[in-house]
Amino acid sequence: MNQIVELLSRIRVVLVATHHPGNIGSAARAMRNMGLRDLALVAPHRFPDPEATALASGADDILAGATIHETLADAVADCEHVIATTARVRYVQIPFSEPRECVARLAAGQHPGRIAIVFGRERTGLTNEELDHCREAVAIPTDPEFGSMNLAAAVQIMAYELRLAAGAKLPEMPEHQPVPQGQMEHLYGHLEKVLIATSFIDPEAPRYIMRRMRRMFGRAAPDSHEFNIVRGILTSVEEALGLKPTNKRFPHLPQEPKYRPPEAVEPQP
């Protein structure tokens, strides 16, 4: 079991007396996004509920596996460490910290057993009696003038910090492989041919257009997929102009292309 799975498998999210079932569903979705699975509900007002299922947006397994308890004490009875989330830090008589500091200690193995993170009611949070069951508290730093936070948003922040602390990273992008210069020369030749055919370049006075195009593509360093797209665009222009045979149909163009290459133009008497 890797470090990420090991830590997240020990985390239990506990929602206390959640009033709106949609918040339960949104919290389940936030958990599922970050790899948390263990959800405990303490005296929810309405659950199960279609609104919870709708806002879970596919995290149905989290809702199906959620346990329901009458009291917070029952929900955290098997947990080694219990963390409260609260905005009332000045009234809390237990140690408190910011989320990142707290989860860093968890990731370092300070509490190797099951850990509960407790979220209170939407409007009033946790009571003092409920805080008595917690060993530390976490306060999410918000704007002092508008500190009210949606329940699912608070769950998302804690779940995100846990996943980062456990070592999760974005998947690495495939290494960029530019097209070899030999193939780029074919592209430049093709591009110049099409630009002459469309009269964008005067072959008698080409100026510095192709040189600038070389610089532009040199900076872009296209990979094979991008290279093929550009070559395909140039070929489609040639087909639309009638310079190349094609099975494609161009209903927006005349049946007989008006353009004829310079070498096909008959000399005037």
Side-chain angles (χ1 to χ4, degrees):
M1 182 181 295
N2 62 39
Q3 181 183 0
I4 299 174
V5 175
E6 193 281 328
L7 174 59
L8 299 182
S9 67
R10 294 190 289 109
I11 303 297
R12 174 176 299 160
V13 173
V14 182
L15 306 183
V16 176
T18 308
H19 184 78
H20 297 290
N23 284 333
I24 297 176
S26 296
R29 179 181 183 180
M31 292 173 60
R32 191 70 176 82
N33 285 153
M34 298 296 131
L36 298 175
R37 302 276 183 172
D38 189 352
L39 174 63
L41 305 175
V42 177
H45 282 236
R46 294 189 348 247
F47 187 81
D49 190 272
E51 188 174 356
T53 302
L55 291 182
S57 297
D60 298 352
D61 56 334
I62 305 295
L63 297 181
T67 56
I68 301 177
H69 309 267
E70 293 185 3
T71 66
L72 176 59
D74 181 41
V76 301
D78 61 338
C79 295
E80 174 196 317
H81 194 64
V82 183
I83 303 168
T85 58
T86 179
R88 300 185 294 121
V89 292
R90 67 179 62 185
Y91 304 107
V92 176
Q93 302 302 313
I94 54 178
F96 68 88
S97 60
E98 294 183 4
R100 191 158 297 180
E101 178 186 351
C102 172
V103 300
R105 295 195 302 271
L106 302 182
Q110 185 169 332
H111 302 286
R114 184 164 297 281
I115 301 161
I117 302 179
V118 183
F119 298 82
R121 299 158 186 80
E122 291 95 331
R123 294 188 61 186
T124 58
L126 297 168
T127 66
N128 290 332
E129 291 73 21
E130 289 162 346
L131 288 170
D132 288 340
H133 295 284
C134 305
R135 302 187 184 184
E136 70 170 297
V138 167
I140 298 172
T142 56
D143 188 328
E145 297 181 2
F146 194 72
S148 176
M149 179 174 287
N150 175 266
L151 173 60
V155 173
Q156 184 75 79
I157 289 173
M158 290 300 300
Y160 171 72
E161 292 292 344
L162 282 162
R163 190 165 186 82
L164 283 188
K169 297 179 181 179
L170 289 173
E172 294 185 4
M173 295 295 291
E175 184 179 353
H176 179 68
Q177 296 288 348
V179 172
Q181 187 61 28
Q183 293 186 44
M184 291 302 298
E185 292 298 332
H186 290 299
L187 171 63
Y188 298 141
H190 194 178
L191 177 60
E192 185 174 19
K193 177 183 176 183
V194 171
L195 293 180
I196 291 173
T198 60
S199 299
F200 188 86
I201 289 180
D202 179 355
E204 301 299 326
R207 296 175 293 174
Y208 297 103
I209 292 177
M210 285 309 303
R211 183 168 294 162
R212 290 185 178 275
M213 295 301 294
R214 282 173 173 270
R215 290 176 181 173
M216 183 184 74
F217 280 106
R219 289 194 303 271
D223 61 22
S224 60
H225 295 291
E226 295 160 342
F227 173 87
N228 289 332
I229 288 172
V230 177
R231 290 295 301 268
I233 291 172
L234 296 174
T235 298
S236 71
V237 172
E238 291 178 309
E239 292 172 343
L241 293 175
L243 300 177
K244 278 192 173 184
T246 179
N247 293 324
K248 299 176 185 176
R249 302 188 65 181
F250 303 94
H252 57 289
L253 295 177
Q255 292 298 316
E256 295 294 333
K258 294 181 180 179
Y259 175 83
R260 287 187 295 170
E263 60 272 17
V265 176
E266 296 181 1
Q268 298 296 322

